[in-house]
Amino acid sequence: SQQGEEDPQALSIQEGENATMNCSYKTSINNLQWYRQNSGRGLVHLILIRSNEREKHSGRLRVTLDTSKKSSSLLITASRAADTASYFCATAPTAGAGSYQLTFGKGTKLSVIP
Amino acid sequence: DAGVIQSPRHEVTEMGQEVTLRCKPISGHNSLFWYRQTMMRGLELLIYFNNNVPIDDSGMPEDRFSAKMPNASFSTLKIQPSEPRDSAVYFCASSLDGPEETQYFGPGTRLLVL
């Protein structure tokens, strides 16, 4: 079953606006990761946030993690047309959870209109 | 580094034929993963190798699928016989040490079984 569920499924914004995507999950995690996939390409790792971290930044990306609500958000500031892609969250379970798979959600499809 | 290399990039075959997908992970990575991506089911883990040993193959759909990793720099995923429902994009990924760490994806093999 899918561990991470992204919301919304699709998002369309104007260039320069901020884009926020959310991810909810069900079980305890070791870390949560965000990946980007351009059409017809493989996934590219964006950022990893560990369970004891609450916020992390990388360039125009900001990721928050709320383990009490089992949710994370990815904020892309000052979006560009090149940010158009699908964004996936992936959760790594804690040790002893019975599974060590990195489980991916179905993604949010972001369209940035020039 | 060249990243994860997959071949072929595209494969069109007829039902019943054998299909072999190939992957070269990033040098120095000890973990390798095979994923399948479809619109309906999203990204699914098929099998995970650590130090060339299959650790988790619970995602392999059925006996028609098999995977090998004869050495640290090469892995194959074989489907025999192939069926139309196997049509998907197959990704290989590698990580430095374990599934919970950042995974680096190859460009994928787009498989179409007629």
Side-chain angles (χ1 to χ4, degrees), chain B residues 21-80:
Chain B
L21 311 181
R22 296 173 176 81
C23 174
K24 177 179 166 55
I26 293 173
S27 176
H29 284 192
N30 73 2
S31 298
L32 183 141
F33 313 87
W34 282 101
Y35 289 91
R36 177 173 67 178
Q37 187 178 38
T38 61
M39 289 293 293
M40 288 297 295
R41 299 173 68 89
L43 197 65
E44 302 173 282
L45 177 68
L46 299 177
I47 188 168
Y48 154 48
F49 289 89
N50 186 269
N51 290 321
N52 314 336
V53 175
I55 302 299
D56 183 359
D57 65 355
S58 59
M60 295 286 263
E62 48 200 90
D63 291 345
R64 297 185 298 106
F65 285 67
S66 62
K68 293 182 180 179
M69 193 164 185
N71 57 62
S73 59
F74 184 65
S75 176
T76 59
L77 178 69
K78 187 176 292 187
I79 308 173
Q80 165 65 14

Side-chain angles (χ1 to χ4, degrees), chain A residues 16-77:
Chain A
E17 292 180 340
N18 295 342
T20 299
M21 289 159 268
N22 302 297
C23 171
S24 60
Y25 57 92
K26 296 186 174 77
T27 61
S28 296
I29 59 170
N30 174 294
N31 67 63
L32 185 144
Q33 304 177 31
W34 285 91
Y35 289 78
R36 183 188 72 219
Q37 184 179 31
N38 290 86
S39 180
R41 302 285 190 94
L43 278 74
V44 174
H45 180 260
L46 295 175
I47 201 163
L48 182 155
I49 186 165
R50 300 197 184 276
S51 60
N52 61 354
E53 298 176 307
R54 291 297 167 257
E55 189 169 311
K56 210 160 181 182
H57 297 255
S58 177
R60 293 183 297 113
L61 305 181
R62 181 172 81 99
V63 168
T64 61
L65 178 64
D66 186 335
T67 53
S68 66
K69 294 181 180 178
K70 292 186 168 57
S71 67
S72 173
S73 66
L74 170 66
L75 169 67
I76 304 174
T77 59

Side-chain angles (χ1 to χ4, degrees), chain A residues 95-113:
Chain A
S99 169
Y100 27 62
Q101 288 187 20
L102 192 63
T103 307
F104 288 82
K106 291 202 171 180
T108 291
K109 194 165 187 175
L110 174 65
S111 299
V112 181
I113 303 164

